[in-house]
Amino acid sequence: MRFTTLLALATAMAIAAPAALTQASEIRVGFTNDADTLDPANHRKRETETILRNMYDGILTRDGDMTVVPELAESFRQVSPTVYEFTLRKGVTFHDGSELTAEDVKFTLDRITVEGAMDGRTSPRKSLLGPVEEIEIVDDRTIRIHLGEPWPILPAMLPFQEVVSKAFVEKVGTDGLATQVNGTGPFRLVDWRRGDSVIMERFDGYYGGADDIAPVGKACVDRVIFKVIPENASRVAALLAGDVDIINDLPAHSVAQVKNNPGTDVVTANGTRSFFVALNTQGDIFDDPKVRQAAMHAIDKDLIIDRILAGNAVAIEGILSPDAFGHNRELTVYDYDPELARAMLAEAGYPDGVDLQLDTEGAYKDVAEAVASLLTKAGFRTTVVVGEGSQLSSKWRTRGGEKTGDMYFTSWGNGSLDPYGIFVPTHRTNDRGNSAGYSNPALDEILDEAGVEADTEKRAALYRKAEAIVNEDLPYLYLWVPQDIYGVSRRLKGWKPSPDSRINLHDACVD
Amino acid sequence: MPMGKLVERLLQLVPVLLGVSVIVFLMMALTPGDPVEIMIGDQNVTAQEESLLRQDLGLDLPLHERFAAFLGNAVTGNFGLSFYHRRPVMDVIAERLPATVELSLVALLLALVTAIPLGVLAAVRKNTILDRLATVGSLLGVSLPGFWFGILLLMLFAVHLHVLPVSGRIGFSSEVQPITHFLLIDTLIQGRFDAFLDALSHVILPAITLGLPMTAILMRVTRTSMLEVMRSDYIVFAEAKGLSRHRILFRHALKNALIPTVSVAAIETGSLLGGNMIVETVFGWPGLGRLVVESIFLRNYPLVQAAVLLYALTYVMLNFVADILYTMLNPRVKL
């Protein structure tokens, strides 16, 4: 072993830092995942989209406050509850120099929504466009999207789709689009080294991006590179060593280390993933709302956020993030009060407490154990059982099938920050993510109504009402929404993390 | 070695591989967790859209039909489409395999060039401080978790000393035209010495991490077998004849002492593949090991099945090669 170490040293000396080769400005992102494919219509992964979104633009996008703004569209309006009209910008070109037309936008949306439109296969992103029925070309700068039923979240969902060139896709086919890029975004593809990196350079013909998001214009840096480093410790090491300028998913326990390092800093954005403990409302213990409320009083969220999550999370009293549309700001806060919890549990018929199991994934073991110890203090004697993600999801997300566990520490993401994407799957009777086995016909009715309500204010009011119901009923112990934590190099300027986890490098510069 | 025996041994591989394919198929299929569910994740999807996706991935068929299709296709080398990449599994694997093979070969080379001299030295200087150090060192080498050791190397050489890169296979400014897909060879063929050094600086830490346990094992094997050979009659005779120490060691003893080393090395090379999964993750090495780990978590059945079969084939073939090498080096042993 000594010899191998010596050998390494000797080699290291001989090679001496191959870095510092760059004259052109370059930003490197140490990123958790590689892209699955470069075809924007043929994946279901947020990380893939984060990479692609630097080369492809959408009809609409979001600004730093998560407000939906036009991007390739110049403007858009709702013509009727089921028809939206989009006017496209003039003079937008693809990376190959061809001009963007309404044909390209129709082709893009058809490719996602029409069955078998991708050389006989159907896009896995179809459901992200809900009841889109037909794309009508009004003139070469105007399209209309026709919906099968009112679906007010269409504008919130369009930023997830990127516009491709019809002529290009017809030339290279779906197979070709998996590895080639011809978008309208600020960067063009140089090389995709599978499993290693995606290298892009500035597209000089870029139209400038959304008017509502300053600065408008070409990208600041010459090259950007997404470098795949899945392991947390290695990603942090790459940042500290100056190999990369941005890393995503900085573990909370490394925050202090990155902050104290002279060349690096930590930045955060409000996340969109809500964490909660599902209580088996079909079981013998948690079928009683009194017991569920008792459990809520047993948990000191602030303590866990402060001590384990290093302060990087915001407590929630319902399922929605405080940033989400329709969030109710007047929900009951269940104060941490283990004595009250114990008394309520006794009142509900368990004077000696109860024995319970809390299922969770390995990644959340620390936090789940903290939750368990707080519960135990209040008479819910809880043991944490760690399982693997997809196995637990089969056990808990049973869609009405019988449930066997007591509690499940889990989460649900909501990139669009529209309640539709999180409230319905987790709370509607027998829906996909309803791990609590919760069923409340009155709530189902409100959710169904809100899903098609076209009036924004009425819709928000419906969701506020829905949150008030679940805040009282507590099928879940609502915990917190963690912040997305990024480590950045101090030479990086102009970049802000975005609440939808996108890493948009258009505005970023380096010293 | 008779040709018939060779063919017979090769034919014996068929049932082994068939067995492996049954096991890997069943294990993936019976592991709880649904690929479609994982793929859709937190999205709101109608039941109809979900069944469409299931149908598209061929997961709507009953288990035995899926197995029959898998076997039928596997014989022709077609393992279907990777659920996530939406491209043929073999294409995805072929992209990542060279990186893994290159890393394994460098690790093997490093292990051999350090383990054999150290093993001989430890045997010759038996019970000296040097021998003790080598013994402790090899114990550490086998016991240190690669994961931990790798990160330690990273922190030292990349973060603190700044002499080696943290991850990847080659720097971003080195564009190399693929010929053999082994970067160390391609860069040399093209006369790109700067790029060669760049690639070498990337491979060195992962190769040391990967090769460490093997180095330790090979060193122990070499030491033991060297000690044994040194005690045998013909060495005593050679000494009596008055041959030089050097000549005895390298002309007579080492040749025979290396027989077990070579066969252990061949078998251990198979286990490098397993170690790759961890090392590739730590060093962001774009190889097959990491791809397989990711695919297992995502229940990407076609890719895991193909990769495991490939691993099994490699392992079985390496054992086969070890057997042949053994009989060639030691004619007293028959196949």
Side-chain angles (χ1 to χ4, degrees), chain B residues 185-252:
Chain B
I185 298 175
D186 286 353
T187 48
L188 284 183
I189 294 177
Q190 290 163 39
R192 297 271 310 278
F193 199 64
D194 57 324
F196 172 77
L197 285 182
D198 188 7
L200 191 66
S201 73
H202 280 83
V203 78
I204 194 85
L205 292 185
I208 290 173
T209 313
L210 181 62
L212 184 72
M214 187 175 183
T215 310
I217 293 167
L218 290 184
M219 201 212 87
R220 300 301 299 164
V221 171
T222 310
R223 177 182 178 274
T224 313
S225 98
M226 195 70 185
L227 283 177
E228 214 166 279
V229 169
M230 291 299 280
R231 277 198 301 267
S232 56
D233 294 344
Y234 76 95
I235 297 291
V236 176
F237 183 69
E239 276 170 350
K241 252 173 47 177
L243 290 183
S244 75
R245 179 99 176 131
H246 189 266
R247 199 178 161 88
I248 293 173
L249 272 182
F250 294 102
R251 285 292 294 277
H252 299 281

Side-chain angles (χ1 to χ4, degrees), chain A residues 358-370:
Chain A
L358 175 61
D359 285 335
T360 193
E361 285 180 51
Y364 307 129
K365 186 166 170 275
D366 291 359
V367 193
E369 269 170 353

Side-chain angles (χ1 to χ4, degrees), chain A residues 3 7-8 21 42 44 121 127 193-196 227-228 234 241 243 273 388 390 394 399 412-413 432, chain B residues 33 37-38 41-43 49-50 81 86 95 110 114 151 162 166-168 171 173-174 208 281-282 290 299:
Chain A
F3 189 75
L7 192 77
L21 289 158
N42 210 359
R44 270 312 275 266
R121 305 169 70 84
S127 57
R193 300 181 183 167
R194 313 286 204 286
D196 181 71
K227 184 161 174 47
V228 186
S234 313
D243 272 17
R273 179 166 286 275
E388 189 237 6
S390 47
S394 304
R399 298 157 204 249
W412 197 270
R432 287 184 56 242
Chain B
E37 187 79 21
I38 301 169
D42 298 343
Q43 312 290 350
E49 282 155 354
E50 201 185 318
L81 291 185
R86 300 263 167 158
E95 282 162 8
L110 276 182
T114 46
I151 290 188
H162 272 287
V166 175
S167 77
S173 35
S174 307
I208 290 173
T281 304
V282 172
R290 217 178 79 207
R299 301 288 188 275

Side-chain angles (χ1 to χ4, degrees), chain A residues 296-315:
Chain A
M296 197 69 256
H297 277 297
I299 293 174
D300 188 350
K301 295 181 212 174
D302 294 338
L303 179 78
I304 299 178
I305 291 174
D306 189 41
R307 295 292 164 78
I308 302 183
L309 304 175
N312 295 299
V314 44

Side-chain angles (χ1 to χ4, degrees), chain A residues 207-280:
Chain A
Y207 63 93
D211 289 332
D212 301 278
I213 307 174
V216 176
K218 281 181 273 184
C220 180
V221 290
D222 300 315
R223 296 220 300 178
V224 299
I225 294 161
F226 277 84
K227 184 161 174 47
V228 186
I229 314 177
E231 166 53 38
N232 286 343
S234 313
R235 212 163 50 252
V236 173
L239 179 74
L240 296 176
D243 272 17
V244 297
D245 306 299
I246 301 175
I247 59 170
N248 71 329
D249 228 346
L250 178 69
H253 59 79
S254 299
V255 164
Q257 187 188 15
V258 171
K259 262 190 187 158
N260 295 337
N261 185 48
T264 56
D265 203 359
V266 174
V267 291
T268 56
N270 287 341
T272 54
R273 179 166 286 275
S274 300
F275 278 75
F276 43 83
V277 173
L279 305 174
N280 183 356

